[in-house]
């Protein structure tokens, strides 16, 4: 229904009651977790979710548990009213927007701040949650899949993602959840977590969405200057060239990686990583002999961009 006003829920118990009531009526509840500042990529996840469910819940919550204290939590873009309007006008509405204030606020925090400060002084890697002294100390880890790729440069990121998704699954209690393949490693980690912990939730990976210039849609694109954005298209251009080369028989991974890295460097970018990995295990490949995915993280200015390209030869 066009311009449908969503029910906005901020309380965990209220969210859980709504979902249980809907499921008791035989409804299939679909869920898309987001950190807000929605773009067409997010809205495509909503449309995908609607193909698999009767009711749709979108969460908007910037998760401090996946940011280390020196990362960009404070500058993460936010536009809640704009997000609601986009959901109403471009996604034909959703049933619920779950917008909690703080999912790590457990009330009393006595004695926690000093303990976490000691951890910082000892050089231990912590997240913004631990740094705030809120007392959260339970983490979900997918130990092998979280290593490498984004996990190499962001050591607290995937335990923070897995933990907040577990919390949201326990609150929303959906039947179906949709994740974008742009964050390929994240999607595979959530798939494995759901399998290993026996969540009764179907995980769907939605295809990566690009702007007309080829740049993968991302909330961080707004921080690119016009010149940086033009240069950043070198990421997708080089990935397409690598895919074409692989399909023509150039399957040695180091050669394909060198091609992409050279192109991005010449455009003024800095490559964080460029890896060709198995689509399911995420193990680094030397040659493409099975379904693979070429994963890239690159910096243009102060903006870190992710992209990937699935390759089957």
């Amino acid at each position: 229904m066009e311009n449908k006003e969503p029910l906005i829920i901020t309380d965990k118990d209220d969210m859980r009651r709504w979902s249980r009531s809907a499921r008791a009526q035989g409804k299939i509840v679909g869920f898309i977790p987001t950190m807000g500042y929605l773009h067409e990529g997010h809205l495509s996840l909503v449309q995908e979710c609607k193909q698999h469910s009767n009711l749709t819940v979108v969460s908007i919550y910037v998760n401090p548990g996946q940011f280390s204290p020196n990362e960009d939590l404070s500058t993460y873009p936010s536009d809640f009213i704009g997000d609601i309007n986009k959901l109403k006008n471009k996604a034909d509405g959703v049933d619920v927007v779950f917008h909690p204030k703080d999912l790590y606020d457990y009330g009393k925090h006595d004695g926690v701040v000093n303990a976490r400060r000691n951890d910082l002084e000892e050089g231990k890697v912590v997240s913004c949650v631990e740094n705030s002294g809120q007392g959260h100390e339970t983490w979900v880890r997918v130990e092998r899949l979280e290593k490498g790729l984004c996990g190499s440069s962001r050591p607290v990121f995937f335990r923070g993602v897995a933990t907040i998704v577990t919390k949201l699954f326990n609150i929303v209690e959906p039947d179906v959840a949709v994740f974008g393949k742009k964050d390929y490693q994240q999607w595979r980690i959530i798939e494995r977590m759901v399998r290993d912990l026996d969540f009764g939730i179907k995980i769907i990976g939605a295809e990566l969405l690009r702007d007309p210039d080829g740049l993968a849609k991302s909330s961080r694109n707004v921080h690119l200057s016009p010149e940086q954005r033009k240069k950043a298209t070198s990421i997708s251009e080089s990935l397409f060239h690598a895919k074409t080369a692989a399909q023509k028989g150039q399957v040695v991974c180091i050669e394909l990686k060198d091609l992409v890295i050279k192109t991005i460097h010449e455009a003024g970018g800095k490559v964080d990583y460029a890896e060709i990995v198995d689509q399911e295990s995420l193990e680094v490949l030397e040659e493409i002999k099975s379904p693979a995915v070429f994963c890239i993280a690159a910096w243009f200015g102060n903006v870190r961009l992710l992209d990937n390209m699935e390759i089957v030869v």
Side-chain angles (χ1 to χ4, degrees):
M1 183 184 298
E2 193 172 356
N3 297 322
K4 177 180 180 179
E5 287 283 350
L7 173 65
I8 297 174
I9 298 177
T10 60
D11 181 77
K12 292 185 288 187
D13 292 334
D14 289 345
M15 182 68 253
R16 193 175 286 114
R17 278 192 288 269
W18 180 92
S19 185
R20 289 181 178 180
S21 174
R23 295 178 72 191
Q25 298 173 46
K27 303 294 185 180
I28 298 173
V29 176
F31 178 49
I32 306 99
T34 82
M35 296 211 300
Y37 211 73
L38 305 182
H39 51 69
E40 293 291 344
H42 293 111
L43 301 181
S44 72
L45 302 185
V46 174
Q47 298 295 359
E48 179 67 28
C49 188
K50 289 185 175 185
Q51 303 303 311
H52 306 274
S53 61
N54 306 121
L55 300 172
T56 308
V57 179
V58 172
S59 65
I60 297 177
Y61 179 69
V62 180
N63 172 36
Q66 68 196 55
F67 292 84
S68 64
N70 64 340
E71 289 182 324
D72 57 352
L73 173 63
S74 63
T75 61
Y76 197 88
S78 175
D79 180 14
F80 183 70
I81 299 301
D83 289 343
I84 297 300
N85 287 332
K86 288 175 183 176
L87 289 171
K88 288 192 300 184
N89 298 327
K90 294 187 179 181
D92 297 331
V94 299
D95 296 282
V96 171
V97 171
F98 180 47
H99 185 49
K101 180 180 179 182
D102 187 351
L103 290 178
Y104 298 92
D105 185 358
Y106 307 111
K108 297 180 180 180
H109 316 307
D110 295 343
V112 173
V113 174
N114 289 335
R116 290 307 174 198
R117 186 174 294 122
N118 289 338
D119 282 351
L120 289 173
E121 291 170 355
E122 294 171 7
K124 295 180 180 178
V125 177
V126 298
S127 70
C128 290
V129 167
E130 294 159 290
N131 195 36
S132 69
Q134 296 191 47
H136 183 90
E137 56 180 326
T138 303
W139 300 98
V140 179
R141 307 199 73 148
V142 182
E143 294 186 350
R144 185 177 56 77
L145 289 183
E146 73 174 32
K147 296 177 181 177
L149 302 179
C150 284
S152 296
S153 59
R154 304 188 71 187
V156 305
F157 180 73
F158 285 119
R159 73 166 194 177
V161 169
T163 300
I164 195 62
V165 171
T166 296
K167 288 167 71 69
L168 288 167
F169 282 174
N170 285 334
I171 294 166
V172 178
E173 298 184 345
D175 300 287
V176 176
V178 180
F179 291 80
K181 288 187 180 181
K182 183 181 79 70
D183 301 297
Y184 202 92
Q185 187 177 15
Q186 173 179 280
W187 166 53
R188 289 302 193 188
I189 283 172
I190 298 303
E191 272 193 330
R192 187 63 55 84
M193 180 190 79
V194 164
R195 186 201 74 176
D196 290 354
L197 298 183
D198 292 308
F199 280 96
I201 301 170
K202 181 179 180 180
I203 302 300
I204 295 169
E207 296 302 321
L208 183 153
L209 202 63
R210 299 183 182 279
D211 282 323
D213 61 4
L215 191 66
K217 289 183 179 292
S218 169
S219 299
R220 288 191 168 94
N221 290 351
V222 70
H223 294 305
L224 294 168
S225 69
E227 182 180 1
Q228 289 169 340
R229 182 185 174 92
K230 185 176 180 180
K231 292 179 176 179
T233 59
S234 62
I235 301 174
S236 59
E237 290 169 0
S238 61
L239 283 174
F240 277 112
H241 290 157
K243 180 176 182 177
T244 299
Q247 292 173 335
K248 290 181 178 179
Q250 186 178 347
V251 295
V252 177
C253 293
I254 189 65
E255 296 174 357
L256 297 172
K257 290 193 291 183
D258 286 346
L259 168 68
V260 169
I261 292 171
K262 182 174 183 288
T263 302
I264 293 173
H265 281 173
E266 289 177 348
K270 180 181 177 182
V271 174
D272 184 355
Y273 65 78
E275 293 288 359
I276 300 174
V277 299
D278 180 84
Q279 286 188 12
E280 291 194 14
S281 70
L282 303 186
E283 292 180 357
V284 175
L285 302 175
E286 294 183 0
E287 290 189 13
I288 301 176
K289 298 179 180 178
S290 59
V293 57
F294 198 149
C295 296
I296 291 282
W299 293 88
F300 280 85
N302 295 321
V303 185
R304 184 175 182 271
L305 302 173
L306 295 183
D307 205 337
N308 67 76
M309 189 80 60
E310 292 181 324
I311 302 174
V312 179
V313 296

